Amino acid sequence: SNAWMFYLHRMEISIDKALCIGAGQCAAYAEGVFDQDENGIAYLLSAQVSADRFDEVRLAAQLCPVSAIAIIEEGQ
């Protein structure tokens, strides 16, 4: 049954803080997943991202001007 695939699908997000320039695109497009510290550097608010937010996270990663966000998806 394909019904189980939804539950097995996982997304791992990593941020290269050395690359981050604080543009804020990630926090703007995937609010609640990404935020910025006092220096503007992005960080993850949650290690677990629900599947309904995956598109937002993918967009945020694409829009990062320095490609500081890496995404690994499992179970597709």
Side-chain angles (χ1 to χ4, degrees):
S1 167
N2 268 347
W4 290 101
M5 291 309 295
F6 176 83
Y7 299 104
L8 294 173
H9 193 158
R10 293 179 60 243
M11 175 180 276
E12 290 184 20
I13 309 162
S14 64
I15 303 169
D16 186 333
K17 292 178 186 293
L19 279 179
C20 180
I21 58 168
Q25 298 287 58
C26 57
Y29 284 91
E31 192 177 348
V33 177
F34 300 95
D35 203 349
Q36 294 170 277
D37 67 18
E38 63 277 2
N39 298 312
I41 303 301
Y43 66 92
L44 280 176
L45 285 169
S46 175
Q48 292 295 314
V49 180
S50 57
D52 61 325
R53 310 285 317 264
F54 284 2
D55 284 344
E56 292 170 64
V57 173
R58 290 185 195 108
L59 180 62
Q62 287 169 8
L63 291 174
C64 177
V66 291
S67 302
I69 301 167
I71 298 172
I72 298 169
E73 295 190 59
E74 299 171 8
Q76 288 172 295

